[in-house]
């Protein structure tokens, strides 16, 4: 999972009465890292073993993607509620409750006997994960001394990237040798250790006196819930039902749009005395730029990470197993962990805008290299290069977006700004997987039609190729000439289908590169930042 990136300066009313000691601060960071590591670990682990999960339930590739989009959609919903929930339940209770709920949902996912029950538990996981991915960073800003915050954020970030590495390696190994269901069980160990540490070292933060947090914005919660459910159904069923050719998709699209518009209107209305989010912040330059950059970052990061394991495990002629794919994918996580300590210095020297421009440039280049390498004869080790380039985007991008956008909002509104940014980034994550699936389906259909125009049985080269292969089959297997020719035609058909799928996956990475180019055009919308003197 990508690192939650928002620089939060907590309002004075919520600060703790006494600063943490150095030893207590280190243990607090360790506890926050353990809690959030479960979310990071699970996100990439599920993405890796998605083909195995699809095989267990007998579902298609498009249906399997619902396992990811359901998680992202409920996380999108949970982030919008996170400010109110954290203050209403008290901060330590909220983050520990999120850990417990995430562990319970992980057990439920492991024991699921049907696809529908798995989606239910993944939805619960996503909602609980929103508390983890949102509040580990906010907790640091509330509880850690200002001078130590950058170092603290970096340490937890490195811990999370290492958790991603462990998740990829373990998930691949246990899936190949036992079952994918066991990938969820380490979350219980993460939860037990995190709760033990947080109960002892997470201080009791005084509750907020903000009336809008103490009270409940019931209309706002209802409207955003309706919008998320309608959007999830539309994204999940769209490709299967022919998108807007289906009246059901039309209805869900209109319901989602109407609910979102009503939510925005209600949150900005003077009649709403306890708004869930201060959406008036959208009018400010930092938050507006955070929204656009968050959507683009979420779309590219989730879409590309979804596509590569799917190709390596399902289309590539070598058909990598989960273990080998996990080893290859962990290149990006290890690289990100290695370069993360240098990001703070880079941002201070060059500023957030130049850092983000560099990050998106590296992202575009990595997507283009992926697209070039995705052919039926590429050795798998070659993918290590674009994965490392991807890491040079991931680590600086997620740190600099937060500090360069919502970090510039005044202290009393920063948590709202962070929640708005994270909400739209999770929306981008849901869109990323869906858009990748749409591009795959459409381009695979197009490439198949073009290929089979030249591969009909009466075409001269096809006749010559199938005849030669049929002779070899007769000579080696002793089958009849008719059966041998049918086998040769089947081999040709499978090769054509594989080539069409390969071209479609390459198109996905070209598509992600195009989104990265558009995101580069949004970077100047960010307010400029002072840089350290050379």
């Amino acid at each position: 999972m990508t690192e939650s990136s928002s620089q939060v300066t907590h309002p004075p009313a919520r600060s703790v009465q006494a600063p943490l000691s150095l030893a207590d601060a280190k243990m607090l960071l360790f506890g926050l890292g353990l809690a959030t590591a479960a979310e990071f670990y699970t996100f990439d682990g599920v993405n890796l073993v998605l083909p195995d999960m699809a095989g267990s339930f007998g579902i298609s590739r498009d249906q399997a993607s619902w396992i990811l989009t359901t998680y992202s959609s409920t996380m999108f919903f949970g982030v919008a509620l996170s400010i109110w929930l954290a203050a209403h339940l008290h901060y330590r209770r909220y983050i520990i409750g999120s850990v417990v709920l995430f562990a319970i949902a992980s057990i439920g996912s492991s024991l699921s006997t049907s696809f529908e029950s798995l989606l239910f538990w993944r939805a619960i996981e996503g909602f609980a994960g929103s508390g983890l991915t949102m509040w580990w960073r906010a907790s640091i800003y509330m509880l850690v001394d200002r001078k130590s915050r950058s170092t603290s954020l970096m340490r937890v970030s490195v811990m999370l990237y290492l958790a991603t590495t462990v998740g990829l390696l373990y998930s691949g190994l246990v899936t190949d040798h036992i079952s994918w269901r066991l990938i969820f069980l380490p979350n219980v160990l993460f939860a037990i250790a995190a709760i033990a540490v947080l109960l002892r070292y997470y201080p009791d933060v005084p509750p907020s006196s903000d009336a809008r947090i103490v009270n409940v914005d019931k209309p706002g919660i209802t409207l955003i819930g309706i919008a998320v459910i309608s959007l999830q159904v539309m994204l999940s069923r769209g490709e299967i039902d022919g998108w807007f050719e289906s009246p059901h998709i039309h209805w869900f699209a209109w319901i989602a749009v109407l609910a979102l518009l009503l939510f925005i209107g209600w949150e900005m209305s003077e009649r709403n005395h306890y708004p869930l989010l201060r959406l008036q912040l959208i009018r400010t330059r930092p938050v507006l730029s955070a929204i656009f950059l968050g959507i683009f970052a979420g779309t590219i990061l989730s879409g590309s990470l979804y596509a590569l394991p799917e190709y390596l495990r399902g289309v590539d002629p070598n058909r990598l197993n989960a273990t080998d794919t996990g080893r290859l994918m962990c290149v990006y996580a290890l690289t990100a962990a290695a370069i993360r300590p240098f990001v703070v210095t880079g941002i201070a020297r060059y500023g957030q805008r130049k850092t983000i421009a560099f990050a998106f440039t590296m992202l575009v280049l990595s997507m283009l290299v992926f697209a070039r390498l995705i052919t039926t004869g590429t050795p798998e080790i070659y993918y290590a290069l674009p994965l490392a380039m991807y890491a040079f985007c991931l680590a600086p991008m997620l740190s600099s977006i937060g500090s360069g956008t919502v970090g510039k909002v005044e202290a009393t509104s920063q948590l709202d700004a962070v929640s708005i940014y994270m909400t739209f980034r999770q929306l981008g994550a849901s869109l990323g997987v869906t858009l990748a699936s749409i591009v795959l389906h459409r381009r695979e259909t197009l490439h198949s039609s073009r290929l089979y125009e030249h591969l009909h049985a009466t075409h001269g080269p096809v006749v010559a190729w199938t005849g030669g292969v049929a002779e070899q089959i007769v000579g080696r297997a002793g089958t009849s000439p008719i059966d041998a020719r049918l086998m040769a035609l089947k081999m040709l058909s499978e090769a054509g289908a594989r080539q069409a799928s390969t071209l479609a996956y390459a198109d996905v990475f070209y598509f992600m590169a195009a989104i990265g180019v558009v995101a580069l055009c949004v970077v100047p919308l960010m307010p400029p930042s002072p840089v350290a003197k050379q």
Side-chain angles (χ1 to χ4, degrees):
M1 174 65 177
T2 53
E3 172 191 351
S4 174
S5 58
S6 43
Q7 302 286 341
V8 183
T9 303
H10 203 69
R14 299 190 186 115
S15 61
V16 290
Q17 296 178 353
L20 293 171
S21 66
L22 181 61
D24 287 353
K26 288 183 178 179
M27 291 303 298
L28 172 65
L29 294 179
F30 182 63
L32 292 172
L34 284 173
T36 316
E39 196 276 328
F40 272 61
Y41 156 88
T42 303
F43 185 88
D44 277 32
V46 170
N47 196 49
L48 175 67
V49 304
L50 208 59
D52 304 277
M53 300 172 84
S56 296
F57 296 110
I59 56 178
S60 65
R61 180 184 66 195
D62 291 334
Q63 289 175 301
S65 67
W66 301 357
I67 300 172
L68 302 179
T69 57
T70 298
Y71 180 89
S72 297
S73 295
T74 52
M75 183 175 283
F76 164 60
F77 177 65
V79 167
L81 270 64
S82 61
I83 295 177
W84 171 73
L85 281 173
H88 195 71
L89 300 175
H90 292 189
Y91 301 101
R92 180 172 63 182
R93 188 182 303 167
Y94 173 63
I95 193 169
I96 291 177
S98 297
V99 174
V100 172
L101 186 59
F102 195 89
I104 293 174
S106 296
I107 296 174
S109 298
S110 178
L111 299 177
S112 296
T113 57
S114 66
F115 182 54
E116 291 75 17
S117 63
L118 177 62
L119 291 181
F120 170 79
W121 288 114
R122 285 291 288 168
I124 301 298
E125 263 191 330
F127 185 80
S130 66
L132 303 177
T133 195
M134 174 79 179
W135 282 92
W136 73 267
R137 183 178 293 270
S139 296
I140 289 176
Y141 275 84
M142 285 191 294
L143 305 174
V144 177
D145 180 74
R146 181 180 295 272
K147 295 184 296 183
S148 305
R149 286 176 186 170
S150 295
T151 302
S152 299
L153 291 168
M154 179 271 295
R155 287 175 177 172
V156 177
S157 298
V158 171
M159 187 175 177
L160 297 179
Y161 288 130
L162 293 178
T164 298
T165 302
V166 173
L168 288 168
L169 295 176
Y170 169 79
S171 297
L173 190 65
V174 75
T175 298
D176 284 338
H177 291 86
I178 306 177
S179 170
W180 61 264
R181 297 178 182 277
L182 295 181
I183 72 170
F184 295 101
L185 296 187
N187 291 337
V188 179
L189 301 179
F190 278 119
I192 294 173
I195 292 170
V197 175
L198 293 175
L199 281 174
R200 181 172 181 180
Y201 294 100
Y202 201 108
D204 188 15
V205 181
S208 172
S209 58
D210 191 339
R212 76 185 185 93
I213 291 178
V214 176
N215 293 277
V216 183
D217 180 12
K218 293 181 181 179
I221 294 175
T222 302
L223 288 170
I224 192 66
I226 293 173
V228 168
I229 293 173
S230 302
L231 182 64
Q232 173 60 32
V233 173
M234 184 184 72
L235 294 178
S236 299
R237 296 292 308 179
E239 190 64 36
I240 295 174
D241 294 340
W243 289 104
F244 294 106
E245 296 176 3
S246 167
H248 297 90
I249 299 301
H250 268 288
W251 275 108
F252 281 112
W254 279 112
I255 291 172
V257 171
L258 181 60
L260 281 174
L261 291 176
L262 289 175
F263 174 77
I264 293 172
W266 172 247
E267 295 304 302
M268 300 181 70
S269 172
E270 295 181 356
R271 298 175 57 189
N272 186 0
H273 302 295
Y274 317 114
L276 196 64
L277 292 174
R278 291 193 179 112
L279 290 184
Q280 293 86 350
L281 294 172
I282 294 177
R283 299 167 182 166
T284 65
R285 184 175 177 183
V287 176
L288 185 62
S289 59
I291 288 173
F292 283 109
L293 291 172
I295 290 176
F296 289 132
T299 300
I300 302 171
L301 297 179
S302 66
S304 57
L305 284 180
Y306 161 73
L308 185 59
E310 288 285 301
Y311 170 75
L312 292 175
R313 300 202 57 202
V315 178
D316 188 85
N318 295 325
R319 292 290 179 94
L320 295 186
N321 57 27
T323 302
D324 292 336
T325 306
R327 288 172 182 167
L328 180 62
M329 293 294 296
C330 74
V331 168
Y332 93 85
L334 286 174
T335 306
I339 66 177
R340 181 61 177 87
F342 303 99
V343 169
V344 175
T345 303
I347 293 176
R349 183 172 183 178
Y350 300 107
Q352 286 92 351
R353 289 206 296 190
K354 289 184 179 179
T355 303
I356 294 177
F358 167 78
F360 275 116
T361 300
M362 292 299 295
L363 184 62
V364 170
L365 292 176
S366 68
M367 296 297 105
L368 293 176
V369 174
F370 272 128
R372 289 287 294 174
L373 289 178
I374 289 188
T375 62
T376 54
T378 301
E380 285 68 33
I381 191 62
Y382 286 16
Y383 294 107
L385 172 62
L387 283 169
M389 296 170 64
Y390 175 88
F392 273 89
C393 155
L394 181 64
M397 177 200 295
L398 298 179
S399 299
S400 52
I401 287 180
S403 60
T405 57
V406 296
K408 299 183 181 299
V409 177
E410 60 181 12
T412 56
S413 301
Q414 277 195 345
L415 287 181
D416 286 276
V418 169
S419 184
I420 292 170
Y421 160 65
M422 288 296 297
T423 297
F424 280 94
R425 208 181 86 186
Q426 289 305 321
L427 175 62
S430 296
L431 291 175
V433 175
T434 302
L435 290 174
S437 299
I438 293 172
V439 173
L440 277 174
H441 179 77
R442 299 293 173 87
R443 299 299 293 179
E444 190 171 0
T445 301
L446 176 64
H447 291 306
S448 295
S449 63
R450 289 178 175 176
L451 283 172
Y452 286 113
E453 286 179 1
H454 302 283
L455 292 181
H456 54 80
T458 59
H459 193 252
V462 172
V463 172
W465 186 87
T466 54
V469 172
E471 290 180 3
Q472 295 181 15
I473 294 174
V474 171
R476 294 179 180 180
T479 59
S480 66
I482 296 178
D483 290 340
R485 185 170 181 81
L486 291 175
M487 293 172 64
L489 288 173
K490 182 179 179 181
M491 292 171 59
L492 181 63
S493 176
E494 291 175 349
R498 184 184 300 114
Q499 184 62 39
S501 296
T502 299
L503 292 172
Y505 275 96
D507 289 340
V508 169
F509 288 101
Y510 281 125
F511 178 73
M512 294 298 168
I515 296 178
V517 173
V518 176
L520 275 170
C521 299
V522 178
V523 174
L525 182 62
M526 288 179 58
S529 304
V531 297
K533 294 183 178 180
Q534 302 280 328

